[in-house]
Structures are given as structure tokens and as C-alpha cells.
Amino acid sequence: MRLSNKNKRAYFVLLSPFTIFAQSIKLETIILSIDTYMQEKIIILDFGSQTTQLIGRRIRELNVYCEIVPYNKFPQGDDSVKGVILSGSPFSVYDESAFKVDLSQLRGKYPILGICYGAQFISYSNGGKVEPAGTREYGRAHLSTFDKSNVLFKDVRENTQVWMSHGDTITAIPDNFRVIASTDKVKIAAYQAEGEKMWGVQFHPEVFHSEDGTQMLKNFVVDVCGCSQSWSAASFVDTTVAELKAQVGNDRVILGLSGGVDSSVAAVLLHRAIGKNLTCIFVDHGLLRKNEFKNVMHDYECLGLNVIGVDASEKFFKDLEGVTDPEQKRKIIGRDFVEVFNAEAHKITDAKWLAQGTIYPDRIESLNITGKTIKSHHNVGGLPEEMHLQLCEPLKWLFKDEVRRVGRQLGIPDHLISRHPFPGPGLAVRILGDITPEKVRILQDADDIFIQGLRDWKVTDEKGNETTLYHQVWQAGVILLPVQSVGVMGDERTYERAVALRAVTSTDAMTADWAHLPYEFLAKVSNDIINKVKGVNRVTYDISSKPPSTIEWE
Ligand code: XMP
């Protein structure tokens, strides 16, 4: 699939304070920590398609563990690999710069499934023909004929709908390949190499619109590759705890907590593995939500974590004084954060590891198809190299919802697990213009009313279950605008601040829609904010989608 989507995540990973700390760690130490997960797995070779991640998602949903690796980084010698999937690509197979693999390294050793470009590449490199399609084959199509006896199509319905997205098409397959499915327009929609466990499909089974796509992937990973579908939050916890024990042993580990889901789950997992040898550091930059530092510290203590809480808000406020440029704010916060974290970390003189709550989507661009294993931003030097810490990232193979499932499995309370994402620089990027303690106070009060309101407002979801508005939105917050407007309270004329409420629905923050919150709810929140938050006399609701807007205002 050729969809455009550039470097979004690089931006926010770069700006997360904890990641900035990771930038300080030497590249070699990071590579050392890229360990191999010892359990049966499917390898997805990434040729650069925008849907590669979706293939991974679908397979994980089948409770089968898989890893996406750059097309040229197949983990040779890893006995746990049960099968290989070749993804789509933005290239044509005959482009000079097209990504290629040496199939002889895989063929006969593992079952192989090529998807779109993957299918074209397998056919083309064995003597088949791939040519530009007369018209681009894009969108819904139906498998008008397919070989029902082929294992790939077990339990697939007649005339099933599939999703096509390719500019090239396979016009001839090698002699020893056999066509096993066609649509009205695409004769070679799928093929199998005779007598081999090697298939190619020109459609995208991973895409939602391929109605039986998950079934086909299941047929491949379970029936052909023999995976046992035993990947679950519970099995992840057991295996990871055992691995962490083996990896870290009796070493001391430092972990930066942010109050967010990922770092909290990473901490509890590590705590289960190494107990008191884990020291967590939670820095308060003064730009957290109202009472958040206190509440989250309390939660962490209840979870038995050994946490050092550092109130560094004065330093941050001083350094941010008079700064209005958003990027400048982020830089100052990132720098101060590293300084404060670093000073604390240095006190733990025998620490050998730095743990982070990095999750899979944070790394997908790192494991990019250029073959580089680590994002360049992880290799920006200048920070505490002398600590020689190795990096430990126990959640690095998980997607966000899997992290939440693992968190629940570990017994972390729901209010921590279901928290909305919150930007590393905190309220600093929600106060437009310069930052003062008074503005932070106003914003914290307004935000608290909004968030608590979302938590308290009960609704019924489409399945008839009771939930809250808070659970229905991906992320919400209040923005303090650099605008004052005239109002009237009692007999008095006021000239006070305006705030904007922001609530979005999303699945990954890459795109987002403004949440269609009930008018009655908005009316109540607006009323409460204006009545209770001194300094605010006007409330607006942001009805912009992303793109073209972003979730945060700065
Ligand atoms: P945008 O505003 O780009 O945000 O649509 C997408 C997601 O990223 C979060 N975000 C940040 N996270 N440091 C972070 O750690 C940042 O500087 C930052 N800026 C945005 C944002 O809250 C949303 O979840």
C-alpha cells in the first residue's frame, strides 16, 4: 500500500523526557539489549508497506507471537521461528532500488506467505512476470474462484471480499507455481508453489475489508506453521519475568516513571522479577495535572514500588520564565528533566541498567527498512555515558492495548491502566504563551473539572455495557488561551481568560476526531469551570480533527 505518513512518532518519542534520557546511552549498549524472545514466533519481513504493522496486529490477535523486522534482518539461527511473512512495499519489484531478500535462505526451511509486493517478489524472483496493472487495482474485490481444498482457504466463504491495493500485477507465475484464487479482474490473486509451503496473495488479508483475511492468516500461522495460539497477557508475564530474572540477575535497575501506563506497567513487571533491586524515579516538573504527583506516588507505593519522588518544579518554572516558543519550552523541559533525573540516578552508584516503558509502536520506525536497528535519536550523545547503563525495555514488543492487558494481568488498578496519554512536557504545551505558576494553577483547576466530569459521566456503549465518557475518549485536556474577554458575573464586569476543552477519539493518535460529547455534559463542565475556577470567564470546545489539526495545541 502506498499511503503517506511520515515520521510522526519520531517527533513525540524524541520529545518524551524519558526517551531524552535514553538518548544519553551509548548505541552499543542498546544493541546489546536487543534480546531475542524465546518462544514460537512468526517473522514478518518488512518491505516498507504502511500495513505491515497491521499484519502484526492481526497475528497477535490470534494469540500468536510475531515480530516485524526489516526485510534484510531475518534472525538466522533463531529456532523459535515457525514461519515467515513477506509484507507489501512502496516499490515495484523491477525498481532498481527495490528491497530484495535472498529467498534461498528461507525457502524449504520455513513456511512462507508473501503479501502484495511479497507475493510479486517471490513470483518475479523465480521467473514469473510482474507488470504495471492497466489501471491501479485498488479497493474491494471478490475471490470469484478459489481452491477450497487449499489449506490457506480453509473456512473461507464463497466469493469472499478482499482488499486490493497495488499498481503492479503478476501476469505470469513460474512453471511450478499454481494459481489458487482469482477475482474478476485479477487472474493471479493467489498462488502456491507446488509441493512447497510457500504462498503468495496479491490482496491484503490484514486489512479490515478483507472479510476472511484473519481466517486466512490463521490458516497460515496455525494450520501451516503449527503455532499454538498460546500468546496471552498471562504467558507474557510469566515468560518476561523469567527472562528479566535471567537478564538482570542481581543487578540494580533504575526506571523513570511518568505516571503513564507504559512506564507503570514496565515498573510493576520489573518489580515482580527483581523486587527491591528496582529503583524508580518520578520527577515532578510542576506541569502535571492537579494533585497528580501526590496521587500517583501513592498508587506506586501501594503497588510496592520503591520510588524516589523528586519535586523539581521550582527549577522548571525558573528556567521556563518568559519563554513562549513551543519548541523552546520542550527543549528546556527535556534538558532540565535529564539534569534532575541524572542527578538522582547518579546517587544509585551500583546501577547497571536503565529500564524504560518503550512499546512496540515507539520502535517500529526504529526498525526501519533501511536496516538500521536503532533510531538515530537514541544515539544522540552528550549525556551520562560514564554510567554505562544497559537498556532494558520489557514492553518493547507490545502494542498499547497489549500493555494495558498485561497491566491488568499484573493487578494494576484500572484508574492507572486506563489513563489517557499525557504529553511529556505536560501542561507547558497546553498553556499558550509564557508559563507562570498562576497560569498552571488555573489550568490545573479547569482540567481537573473537565477530567473528573468525564470520569463521572456514565454512558452505555454500543454493546449495552455501562461505561464513562472518560473511557470513550482517547485523550482529553484543557488548553489555556492567551486571550482575555469581557464577561459579567453578578453585577460586575469581568475581563478574564478563555480556555478551550479538547477531547478526541483515536486508535493510535496518528489521526483523531473531536469527540462528540453530549451538549448537556459540555454545558455542565462549562458552568462548573466558570463558577469555580477563578480567572476564567469563557469556555470553548475545540471541534478540529487531526489532520489537519493536531491533538495538542502546541
Ligand atoms: P499531536 O499533538 O502531535 O499529539 O497530535 C499526538 C500524541 O502525542 C502526544 N504528544 C507528546 N508526547 N511529548 C510527548 O511525550 C511531546 O512533546 C508531545 N507532543 C504531543 C499527544 O499528547 C498525543 O497523545
Side-chain angles (χ1 to χ4, degrees):
M1 269 197 169
R2 299 182 200 206
L3 305 176
S4 69
N5 155 34
K6 272 323 279 171
N7 291 338
K8 167 66 200 72
R9 214 173 298 271
Y11 144 70
F12 93 77
V13 171
L14 246 177
L15 297 166
S16 155
F18 294 112
T19 310
I20 287 171
F21 185 74
Q23 291 169 19
S24 65
I25 310 300
K26 281 203 223 153
L27 182 64
E28 308 92 83
T29 59
I30 295 170
I31 288 171
L32 265 180
S33 75
I34 300 290
D35 45 283
T36 315
Y37 203 85
M38 284 312 290
Q39 73 157 54
E40 58 175 33
K41 66 174 82 136
I42 297 291
I43 292 294
I44 301 163
L45 292 182
D46 181 14
F47 288 85
S49 164
Q50 293 295 323
T51 60
T52 307
Q53 213 188 117
L54 264 184
I55 307 173
R57 291 264 38 184
R58 294 288 166 268
I59 293 177
R60 293 272 186 96
E61 280 161 18
L62 292 165
N63 294 330
V64 171
Y65 184 69
C66 62
E67 285 172 16
I68 300 170
V69 301
Y71 71 98
N72 56 355
K73 294 280 168 187
F74 182 79
Q76 295 290 351
D78 181 344
D79 295 342
S80 55
V81 177
K82 295 285 203 178
V84 184
I85 295 180
L86 276 55
S87 82
S89 173
F91 288 104
S92 294
V93 284
Y94 39 78
D95 281 350
E96 261 182 35
S97 43
F99 300 134
K100 300 183 176 73
V101 280
D102 179 2
L103 278 177
S104 67
Q105 299 284 320
L106 310 172
R107 205 165 162 182
K109 296 181 188 151
Y110 308 96
I112 300 174
L113 173 65
I115 294 178
C116 194
Y117 172 93
Q120 295 168 356
F121 176 78
I122 294 170
S123 175
Y124 182 75
S125 54
N126 283 285
K129 236 186 188 173
V130 174
E131 295 176 279
T135 52
R136 193 175 152 74
E137 287 157 355
Y138 183 81
R140 291 177 176 80
H142 293 88
L143 295 187
S144 44
T145 55
F146 63 88
D147 177 357
K148 295 186 186 65
S149 65
N150 195 292
V151 60
L152 199 64
F153 297 129
K154 191 184 101 182
D155 294 335
V156 168
R157 289 163 288 185
E158 300 265 343
N159 207 35
T160 188
Q161 178 178 292
V162 292
W163 186 258
M164 293 285 184
S165 179
H166 48 103
D168 296 336
T169 196
I170 303 173
T171 49
I173 49 176
D175 289 344
N176 56 333
F177 285 23
R178 192 167 60 85
V179 178
I180 55 168
S182 310
T183 70
D184 289 347
K185 289 202 191 112
V186 182
K187 183 168 172 293
I188 308 169
Y191 63 73
Q192 182 178 7
E194 297 270 22
E196 283 187 60
K197 290 185 177 180
M198 185 160 77
W199 288 260
V201 293
Q202 286 213 89
F203 52 87
H204 286 269
E206 71 279 18
V207 170
F208 172 75
H209 304 286
S210 289
E211 290 169 342
D212 290 318
T214 305
Q215 179 64 43
M216 295 178 206
L217 290 171
K218 181 176 176 210
N219 293 340
F220 178 71
V221 300
V222 178
D223 291 62
V224 176
C225 302
C227 292
S228 61
Q229 296 189 278
S230 54
W231 163 256
S232 66
S235 71
F236 175 84
V237 170
D238 290 349
T239 329
T240 309
V241 165
E243 279 190 352
L244 286 170
K245 280 184 178 157
Q247 183 185 31
V248 172
N250 283 325
D251 293 348
R252 190 170 288 278
V253 180
I254 307 174
L255 182 143
L257 280 171
S258 69
V261 181
D262 304 341
S263 63
S264 304
V265 173
V268 176
L269 199 53
L270 261 154
H271 180 255
R272 191 169 280 196
I274 62 164
K276 289 288 169 205
N277 276 346
L278 171 70
T279 305
C280 303
I281 300 173
F282 183 16
V283 176
D284 181 6
H285 50 29
L287 299 153
L288 297 170
R289 294 193 141 121
K290 187 172 180 176
N291 296 327
E292 188 163 30
F293 187 62
K294 199 174 80 201
N295 294 342
V296 173
M297 279 298 284
H298 175 73
D299 283 336
Y300 287 149
E301 274 152 25
C302 291
L303 285 165
L305 298 177
N306 170 19
V307 191
I308 300 170
V310 190
D311 177 359
S313 44
E314 251 182 61
K315 174 180 173 60
F316 283 84
F317 281 130
K318 189 166 151 286
D319 293 347
L320 285 167
E321 208 175 301
V323 178
T324 54
D325 176 61
E327 286 317 300
Q328 196 57 24
K329 287 182 192 174
R330 282 189 163 90
K331 279 198 185 120
I332 291 168
I333 292 169
R335 186 202 62 205
D336 282 5
F337 182 89
V338 170
E339 264 178 51
V340 174
F341 189 96
N342 203 6
E344 270 324 303
H346 264 89
K347 293 180 193 160
I348 306 163
T349 48
D350 54 346
K352 296 263 177 8
W353 297 83
L354 174 75
Q356 290 203 135
T358 316
I359 67 171
Y360 206 22
D362 298 338
R363 301 168 55 242
I364 292 238
E365 284 171 13
S366 314
L367 303 167
N368 66 42
I369 49 175
T370 62
K372 286 190 201 125
T373 325
I374 299 295
K375 271 187 194 176
S376 56
H377 70 265
H378 271 205
N379 195 23
V380 178
L383 288 155
E385 286 193 356
E386 76 280 5
M387 287 184 78
H388 297 301
L389 296 176
Q390 297 187 74
L391 197 62
C392 169
E393 298 177 312
L395 308 177
K396 67 181 177 221
W397 298 113
L398 300 192
F399 292 98
K400 189 87 180 181
D401 58 319
E402 292 172 332
V403 174
R404 290 200 158 108
R405 290 214 307 265
V406 167
R408 291 198 177 95
Q409 178 70 30
L410 288 164
I412 302 177
D414 185 69
H415 66 270
L416 263 183
I417 293 298
S418 59
R419 303 187 90 178
H420 290 167
F422 187 67
L427 300 180
V429 291
R430 294 186 182 166
I431 295 173
L432 308 197
D434 69 321
I435 294 159
T436 63
E438 172 62 1
K439 287 185 188 174
V440 172
R441 197 270 310 154
I442 292 175
L443 183 53
Q444 282 179 333
D445 286 347
D447 181 81
D448 189 50
I449 290 172
F450 185 36
I451 298 297
Q452 200 48 51
L454 289 165
R455 285 189 186 279
D456 292 342
W457 198 272
K458 304 267 186 298
V459 285
T460 309
D461 68 15
E462 65 278 7
K463 290 183 189 147
N465 298 323
E466 190 175 89
T467 180
T468 66
L469 285 178
Y470 184 87
H471 284 88
Q472 285 194 326
V473 305
W474 164 268
Q475 187 170 357
V478 180
I479 294 94
L480 187 66
L481 305 180
V483 172
Q484 282 177 279
S485 73
V486 174
V488 54
M489 276 197 184
D491 292 334
E492 288 196 22
R493 181 183 181 278
T494 59
Y495 188 59
E496 290 178 338
R497 294 191 168 275
V499 295
L501 310 181
R502 181 77 164 136
V504 295
T505 52
S506 178
T507 49
D508 53 11
M510 307 280 272
T511 59
D513 193 12
W514 59 277
H516 295 215
L517 298 177
Y519 283 172
E520 307 74 47
F521 170 76
L522 289 171
K524 179 174 177 348
V525 169
S526 164
N527 213 33
D528 284 354
I529 290 178
I530 291 172
N531 283 330
K532 293 181 189 161
V533 183
K534 198 163 171 301
V536 175
N537 69 352
R538 194 169 296 271
V539 174
T540 63
Y541 187 50
D542 179 355
I543 54 168
S544 331
S545 298
K546 172 184 178 177
S549 301
T550 49
I551 296 175
E552 304 295 344
W553 278 42
E554 282 197 339

